[in-house]
Amino acid sequence: MRFTQPLYLLFLLSIPVLVVLYMIRPKYKKMVISSTYLWERLKKQKRVSKPAQKLRLSLLLILGILTLAAFSLNLAGPYISITDTKKNVIFAFDVGSTMNCLTHDNKTYLEKSKEIARSILDTLSKDSKVSIVTFSDSIEVLVKDVSPSFAKSSIGKVLPTYYVTNLKESINVISKLFDASSYTFFLFTDKKVKLQDNIQIFEFPKPDDNVSIDNVSLSTFSGGFDAVVEVTNRGIKRASFEIELFADKKLVGAKSVVLLPKQSESVIFEKIKGNYKIVQARINYPDRLREDNIFWTILAPPPTKKKVLYVGKGNFFLEKAFSAFDDVELYKLQDVKNVADGFDIYVFDSVVPKRLPKKGGVIFILQKGKDVSKLLGVSIGNKTDIEGYARFVESTVSQNIDGMEFAVQKTISIDDKRLEPVAKLNGKPVISFGVVKNLPTVLIGFAIDDSDLPLKVSFPILITNIKNNFVKGNQPFEKMTFHPGEEIKVFSYTDGKAEIILPNSKREVVNFSTYPLVLPKNDRLGVYTLNLSNNTSYKFAVNYPTYALDESEEKKTDATLAFSETGAKTNAKVPYLLKDILLILSLIFLTFEWMVFMNENKS
């Protein structure tokens, strides 16, 4: 018999304590007393009795020893090898973020899982076929139908991640990847799984001692910042620890915190002065999960006003729309020959510049498409007699107005397939969006005055969406911190390439083909640096997904494994878990002990 948690066998040391308690307890005899004189004699006998007596076995003592032994063995997770009826074996390892929790012998749940799997492989016959699958937010088949010896060497390739596990979807996919009629399935996870006859589940418990940092919020002011650190005690006992706050690796604050089980608290650090970029909060507490004791975030520079240049004869509706933004300064110009660089957004209303600006976003309002087509290198229709009701379609800049209509006349169609349609009339795009010559560009195929669009509620929303996509504050990201596996969009403009510096200082070159740019999925925790081709550099942080710890408490998944009980016969031996049997035995012994105790103490 072997054990998944052998350290719990230390609970067997409570048996000698129980024996000592039985040796020192006073012994009483039932007596019929006819006078108070005999009561006094009985008191004297009690006073002279020895504190420790010769051990005499009793039914209560035996039942107590059996109860403690069964309960201790249950905690240790015993299993025995039995002959199984299936030839092939699948090991499915949960490699998600919560499997990085530590057991009482300081091994992670995943390390413990691999240790158990190796011991199972030692019991299999040489002609058995073994498959190894890992899963978290996706499935990966490491090896399929290999020998036990090869599988044992391949277990080293099972590596941890910090992605959040989708258990239900993973089990369903694994069931479809393998022939269900000839496999024994071993699942290693810390999630709740519905028990089934055709699956052996090695389920790890929630960590009994864990404190996490769930979030760090920053508020900047002139010359410094305030920070709010949200912490939670996810364990089962009171936790006392210190929160340390670092700015650019310099300790700028520390506070002591005491939390009861399941209690959360927001710890405030005020008036931290200095021109910092990276803020890190850290819990100084040795619990069962260390990765959620650190949280990184980035201090955004103070917001600056964005410059918008309107070039044309004047348009009341466009000028009013841009002037309504508090963070925008609007400049107007009629002479297209004197367009300077340095603006964030350029609006060319029925005019065409000789050259494109070097940076910024561009809006072209077209009357004739020939000159713009030559400048941008995109395909634009020549007809200007298209009219009717146009409808906004789903696109990057049509959020919240998708499906709304407006009337328009004297329209030019934008035929280039490389551009994303924003609004269509008779199936042809009349507003399009895309990245043209490294600049985000919106083409509007009609004069604003030739439509009722400015009178619609969709017009200010459209201008807001365009501005927000062209200008993302001082950072190209929607936020500063992310979780592993979360999609990270970059609202900036490059020639299709960028460089990412990972938290371990390694560098990766990424290629982009669409806008907004989407960074490749990565689960390394820490601060990343994104270097764009226009010589700009930005930072963002990836932190441990503490919400995954909450998901591990949810009800058992109702996913079912479509593995039948029939299959090829073999003498391969597989483990059979004894935990449930020992738990039932401990409850039975405890019940009998209570019955005997009540019977002996009847008056």
Side-chain angles (χ1 to χ4, degrees):
M1 183 169 65
R2 298 184 179 183
F3 302 93
T4 62
Q5 301 286 341
L7 277 182
Y8 279 110
L9 292 175
L10 292 174
F11 277 97
L12 291 173
L13 296 176
S14 59
I15 293 177
V17 176
L18 178 66
V19 173
V20 172
L21 289 175
Y22 267 84
M23 291 177 64
I24 66 174
R25 72 168 188 162
K27 302 295 181 179
Y28 299 98
K29 293 182 179 180
K30 294 183 180 180
M31 301 178 65
V32 179
I33 300 177
S34 59
S35 70
T36 57
Y37 169 75
L38 293 177
W39 274 108
E40 292 299 326
R41 287 187 60 187
L42 189 60
K43 288 181 181 178
K44 292 178 181 179
Q45 289 176 3
K46 179 182 176 181
R47 282 195 292 267
V48 299
S49 62
K50 295 179 181 179
Q53 306 175 38
K54 184 178 178 182
L55 177 63
R56 296 179 182 178
L57 291 178
S58 68
L59 185 56
L60 268 178
L61 176 59
I62 294 172
L63 288 172
I65 292 173
L66 291 174
T67 301
L68 284 174
F71 183 71
S72 301
L73 291 172
N74 167 70
L75 291 176
Y79 62 92
I80 58 174
S81 296
I82 60 172
T83 301
D84 190 71
T85 59
K86 284 170 282 298
K87 182 177 182 179
N88 300 333
V89 171
I90 300 173
F91 292 107
F93 295 94
D94 183 349
V95 293
S97 58
T98 54
M99 291 295 284
N100 290 284
C101 293
L102 296 173
T103 61
H104 287 276
D105 53 356
N106 284 325
K107 295 180 180 178
T108 66
Y109 288 175
L110 183 58
E111 289 171 342
K112 201 70 178 179
S113 300
K114 294 193 288 186
E115 187 178 286
I116 296 170
R118 290 189 183 97
S119 67
I120 295 173
L121 289 170
D122 289 338
T123 67
L124 298 178
S125 61
K126 293 182 179 179
D127 61 341
S128 296
K129 297 298 181 183
V130 182
S131 300
I132 299 176
V133 181
T134 63
F135 63 91
S136 53
D137 66 334
S138 60
I139 309 292
E140 183 179 2
V141 179
L142 293 183
V143 293
K144 186 173 182 180
D145 294 337
V146 299
S147 66
S149 59
F150 187 84
K152 194 170 183 179
S153 63
S154 300
I155 285 181
K157 298 178 182 178
V158 177
L159 301 176
T161 73
Y162 293 105
Y163 299 125
V164 178
T165 297
N166 186 340
L167 181 63
K168 182 177 179 179
E169 182 65 22
S170 299
I171 290 179
N172 290 337
V173 171
I174 293 171
S175 298
K176 295 173 183 177
L177 288 176
F178 295 89
D179 180 11
S181 62
S182 58
Y183 284 95
T184 298
F185 191 94
F186 297 98
L187 178 66
F188 301 90
T189 184
D190 64 336
K191 303 293 186 293
K192 300 294 182 182
V193 185
K194 186 183 292 183
L195 293 176
Q196 300 170 54
D197 293 337
N198 56 346
I199 179 174
Q200 291 285 343
I201 303 170
F202 291 85
E203 184 182 304
F204 293 88
K206 281 183 55 191
D208 55 2
D209 185 16
N210 183 37
V211 177
S212 66
I213 300 179
D214 299 325
N215 192 36
V216 175
S217 303
L218 302 178
S219 176
T220 58
F221 58 84
S222 179
F225 68 95
D226 298 328
V228 178
V229 183
E230 299 174 19
V231 292
T232 301
N233 181 4
R234 301 176 180 275
I236 60 174
K237 64 180 184 180
R238 177 177 173 271
S240 177
F241 54 91
E242 216 177 47
I243 297 179
E244 299 170 333
L245 192 70
F246 296 85
D248 291 349
K249 300 183 179 180
K250 175 185 175 182
L251 182 65
V252 294
K255 291 192 176 182
S256 297
V257 179
V258 177
L259 290 180
L260 297 175
K262 310 305 178 185
Q263 182 183 1
S264 297
E265 186 173 324
S266 296
V267 182
I268 302 174
F269 295 85
E270 293 182 294
K271 298 181 180 178
I272 299 169
K273 296 182 179 181
N275 185 22
Y276 300 110
K277 293 181 179 180
I278 301 172
V279 176
Q280 179 197 79
R282 186 173 69 189
I283 291 176
N284 188 10
Y285 185 69
D287 54 9
R288 298 289 175 201
L289 182 60
R290 308 295 165 80
E291 288 81 4
D292 63 356
N293 290 4
I294 301 177
F295 195 101
W296 292 268
T297 190
I298 310 299
L299 263 170
T304 57
K305 285 199 171 186
K306 303 306 172 185
K307 296 180 179 180
V308 176
L309 177 64
Y310 171 85
V311 185
K313 294 181 179 180
N315 188 299
F316 170 80
F317 299 109
L318 278 171
E319 293 174 20
K320 190 72 174 176
F322 280 108
S323 297
F325 299 117
D326 293 333
D327 60 342
V328 165
E329 290 180 350
L330 179 63
Y331 298 84
K332 294 184 288 184
L333 186 69
Q334 289 188 0
D335 187 1
V336 73
K337 296 180 181 179
N338 297 320
V339 176
D341 288 318
F343 292 90
D344 298 290
I345 299 176
Y346 297 82
V347 182
F348 296 105
D349 188 357
S350 303
V351 296
V352 181
K354 290 185 177 181
R355 63 175 181 84
L356 286 172
K358 295 179 180 179
K359 294 181 181 180
V362 183
I363 300 174
F364 280 98
I365 298 173
L366 310 177
Q367 281 189 336
K368 294 181 180 179
K370 186 176 180 181
D371 292 337
V372 174
S373 178
K374 183 178 179 181
L375 175 69
L376 300 180
V378 298
S379 177
I380 299 174
N382 293 318
K383 292 184 179 181
T384 59
D385 57 352
I386 304 173
E387 60 182 31
Y389 284 93
R391 181 191 296 268
F392 286 103
V393 297
E394 184 178 355
S395 72
T396 304
V397 295
S398 59
Q399 302 97 319
N400 304 315
I401 56 175
D402 182 11
M404 293 185 179
E405 293 184 343
F406 59 93
V408 66
Q409 61 180 355
K410 298 181 182 179
T411 305
I412 299 173
S413 64
I414 299 142
D415 301 329
D416 202 297
K417 302 298 182 183
R418 294 170 294 177
L419 302 178
E420 180 184 16
V422 177
K424 288 184 176 182
L425 193 158
N426 300 330
K428 294 186 176 182
V430 293
I431 303 178
S432 291
F433 169 79
V435 178
V436 179
K437 295 188 176 180
N438 301 330
L439 299 177
T441 304
V442 171
L443 300 179
I444 300 176
F446 53 90
I448 299 298
D449 295 338
D450 288 334
S451 75
D452 67 352
L453 178 59
L455 306 179
K456 300 286 187 178
V457 69
S458 55
F459 181 67
I461 298 176
L462 172 66
I463 299 301
T464 301
N465 289 341
I466 292 173
K467 181 188 81 76
N468 289 343
N469 277 275
F470 280 6
V471 181
K472 283 287 178 181
N474 292 313
Q475 289 284 341
F477 313 109
E478 293 176 301
K479 53 185 181 179
M480 298 296 187
T481 62
F482 299 87
H483 292 123
E486 190 175 355
E487 187 176 65
I488 302 177
K489 295 181 179 179
V490 183
F491 296 87
S492 191
Y493 324 105
T494 73
D495 59 1
K497 288 187 178 181
E499 180 189 57
I500 298 178
I501 302 177
L502 305 179
N504 58 4
S505 298
K506 290 186 178 180
R507 296 172 181 262
E508 291 183 357
V509 176
V510 292
N511 295 309
F512 302 114
S513 58
T514 60
Y515 180 87
L517 320 175
V518 179
L519 296 181
K521 190 171 72 169
N522 209 309
D523 77 326
R524 293 177 177 88
L525 305 181
V527 176
Y528 293 68
T529 302
L530 176 66
N531 296 323
L532 300 180
S533 61
N534 55 6
N535 296 322
T536 53
S537 180
Y538 303 98
K539 294 184 183 296
F540 64 94
V542 175
N543 292 294
Y544 185 91
T546 55
Y547 64 90
L549 298 167
D550 298 325
E551 290 181 0
S552 64
E553 301 177 29
E554 299 296 325
K555 63 181 180 180
K556 294 185 179 181
T557 180
D558 57 357
T560 20
L561 285 160
F563 287 81
S564 72
E565 285 299 293
T566 60
K569 300 289 181 181
T570 183
N571 290 324
K573 293 198 170 189
V574 295
Y576 180 78
L577 292 175
L578 302 175
K579 289 184 64 174
D580 295 336
I581 295 175
L582 289 167
L583 180 60
I584 293 171
L585 282 175
S586 64
L587 292 175
I588 292 173
F589 293 144
L590 188 62
T591 303
F592 277 119
E593 186 178 9
W594 179 253
M595 292 171 61
V596 172
F597 176 79
M598 293 299 292
N599 183 64
E600 289 186 357
N601 287 273
K602 282 184 180 179
S603 57

